[in-house]
């Protein structure tokens, strides 16, 4: 239905640098993150 709204990205939640890369990747893919 919305194939561009879901992506896969592997990151370990106990590794801060991986989570920061995940956050930046999501911002680039989807724009502003509102939590």
């Amino acid at each position: 239905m919305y194939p561009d709204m879901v992506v896969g990205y592997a990151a370990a939640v106990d590794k801060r640098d991986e989570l920061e890369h995940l956050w930046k990747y999501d911002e680039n893919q989807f724009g502003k993150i509102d939590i």
Side-chain angles (χ1 to χ4, degrees):
M1 191 167 181
Y2 299 100
D4 58 337
M5 298 298 294
V6 177
V7 296
Y9 190 98
V13 296
D14 61 339
K15 296 183 179 174
R16 183 181 179 105
D17 62 324
E18 290 188 18
L19 291 178
E20 288 176 354
H21 285 122
L22 171 62
W23 189 272
K24 290 175 186 175
Y25 177 80
D26 287 344
E27 283 182 322
N28 289 334
Q29 288 290 321
F30 302 112
K32 180 183 174 189
I33 300 173
D34 185 18
I35 57 171

